[in-house]
Amino acid sequence: MSDTPTTTGFSAIIKHPQYFIPTGDTQFLAQNVLFKIHRYFLEREPSSFREIFSDSDGNTKPYKLDVKPEDFAHFLWVFYDEDFEYENQPLEKWLVILRLATRWGFGKVRKLVVRQLEKLDLQPIDKIKIYSDFKIDAQLLIPSYSTLAKSPTLPPLSEAAKLDIETILRLTMVRERALQKAAEDGCRSPTSASAGDEDVKRFICEIFGLPNTSTTKLSNIVAEGSSADGVDDTTESLVPTLQNPTPGRKKKNANANGTSNSNGQHTNGKTFPF
C-alpha cells in the first residue's frame, strides 16, 4: 500500500497506516486521513452508521467525519484487535471510545467500555464524574459514594469542583446520616466513618434514589451491561452529534473505488458530518 499523499483541493489526503484496508468496502475521511474499512462492523448494531448506509445508494466517495483521525483509529481498534487485548489500556483511550460509541449509538461497545472501566483503579470523584457525564448505571457508583461518605476528611476544592452541586449536597446528607447513626449506636467520638458499611450503603441508596442491591447483583450489572448503554446528552466539541439523515432507500453495497474527496460529499449531494 502506498503512503504517498494525494492532493484534493487544499488538503493532502493520506491513507491511515493501519486502517486503510485493501479489502475494505467503505471509506471515511477524518480531517486529511483516509480510512478504508469493512462496513459490517459499523452496521451490526442499530447505530447512526446503519441509517447513513441505508441511504448510500451506491456511494463511492468517503464519508466525512468530524473527529480526530487518532480518535477514530481508537474506535476501530475495538473491532480489529485480533488478540482482544483490552486489558491494561489507558483510561484516556477508553474515554475516547466511550464518547464515540455514545454519540454513534453503539450500545455493545459502551458495555465493553464500562466493563473495562470497572477494572481500572479510578479515584472516586473521577469515577463519579465520568459515569455521570456518560449516564452509566449509577448503581456502579455506590462504592465510590461510600468511600467519600466515610472519608475522615473532605476532598480538596480542586477535586470537589469536578462534581455538580447536587451530588455534593447528597454526599453531605449521607455523611450526616452516617454520623448520626454512629452516635445512636453509642460511638463515643462518632464520625461518618464510624457507621457500618451496610448502613452507609442504605443511606446512599435512599438519598440518591438507587435500589439497594447486593454485591452479587452489582457484579451482574457490570457483566450484563444493564442500563450501561444509555444515551449521553453532554456536548463534546470533538465528537459532534450526527445529523439525522433523510429516510433512505433500500440498502445497496457500496463500491469503494479509492476516490479521495476532501468534502466527503455523498453521491446524492448530501454531506454527513459525523
Side-chain angles (χ1 to χ4, degrees):
M1 179 185 73
S2 173
D3 292 326
T4 304
T6 60
T7 302
T8 303
F10 299 100
S11 302
I13 306 301
I14 60 175
K15 298 175 181 178
H16 192 275
Q18 184 176 2
Y19 295 119
F20 189 91
I21 303 171
T23 59
D25 53 15
T26 303
Q27 297 185 65
F28 293 94
L29 188 65
Q31 295 179 353
N32 68 323
V33 180
L34 189 64
F35 296 79
K36 187 177 182 182
I37 61 171
H38 304 91
R39 63 188 285 175
Y40 162 77
F41 292 114
L42 302 182
E43 60 184 358
R44 286 188 300 183
E45 294 192 60
S47 66
S48 298
F49 284 98
R50 182 186 289 183
E51 296 178 24
I52 296 298
F53 293 152
S54 69
D55 194 35
S56 61
D57 195 23
N59 178 44
T60 60
K61 297 180 180 180
Y63 294 95
K64 189 176 181 181
L65 301 172
D66 191 10
V67 299
K68 292 181 178 180
E70 56 269 29
D71 289 353
F72 191 49
H74 283 330
F75 185 75
L76 294 177
W77 166 81
V78 171
F79 305 106
Y80 283 101
D81 180 33
E82 296 179 353
D83 299 321
F84 299 100
E85 294 178 348
Y86 297 143
E87 308 296 332
N88 302 318
Q89 299 297 327
L91 172 63
E92 292 73 17
K93 184 173 184 176
W94 286 121
L95 291 183
V96 167
I97 296 169
L98 180 59
R99 277 194 287 269
L100 295 182
T102 299
R103 292 296 182 188
W104 293 337
F106 285 83
K108 292 181 180 178
V109 176
R110 273 181 57 97
K111 292 173 184 177
L112 167 66
V113 176
V114 171
R115 288 196 296 270
Q116 299 307 313
L117 291 179
E118 283 297 298
K119 298 176 184 179
L120 299 180
D121 185 20
L122 299 177
Q123 293 299 311
I125 288 181
D126 290 333
K127 186 171 183 177
I128 293 171
K129 170 66 175 172
I130 293 170
Y131 281 42
S132 298
D133 284 350
F134 289 99
K135 301 191 185 319
I136 296 171
D137 198 322
Q139 291 183 73
L140 299 175
L141 292 177
I142 291 176
S144 297
Y145 289 145
S146 181
T147 297
L148 292 175
K150 298 190 69 172
S151 174
T153 59
L154 295 174
L157 288 176
S158 59
E159 286 295 299
K162 297 178 183 179
L163 303 178
D164 60 75
I165 187 63
E166 182 177 342
T167 299
I168 293 174
L169 291 175
R170 289 179 187 273
L171 283 171
T172 301
M173 293 170 64
V174 173
R175 290 177 66 91
E176 291 176 350
R177 291 277 298 275
L179 175 61
Q180 180 182 359
K181 176 62 174 163
E184 292 173 352
D185 288 344
C187 183
R188 293 185 177 181
S189 301
T191 67
S192 59
S194 305
D197 290 341
E198 287 302 314
D199 288 327
V200 172
K201 180 181 177 182
R202 177 164 53 84
F203 298 148
I204 290 171
C205 292
E206 291 175 0
I207 293 172
F208 281 89
L210 302 174
N212 194 345
T213 58
S214 65
T215 303
T216 301
K217 290 183 179 179
L218 207 57
S219 299
N220 290 338
I221 291 174
V222 179
E224 298 172 4
S226 174
S227 301
D229 56 350
V231 177
D232 173 28
D233 59 3
T234 57
T235 58
E236 172 56 54
S237 59
L238 298 179
V239 191
T241 304
L242 277 164
Q243 295 181 352
N244 291 326
T246 303
R249 308 174 188 83
K250 236 177 178 179
K251 190 186 303 181
K252 296 183 181 180
N253 291 329
N255 178 21
N257 61 4
T259 303
S260 299
N261 186 342
S262 62
N263 63 15
Q265 285 194 334
H266 198 284
T267 51
N268 63 6
K270 298 179 183 178
T271 300
F272 299 104
F274 284 73

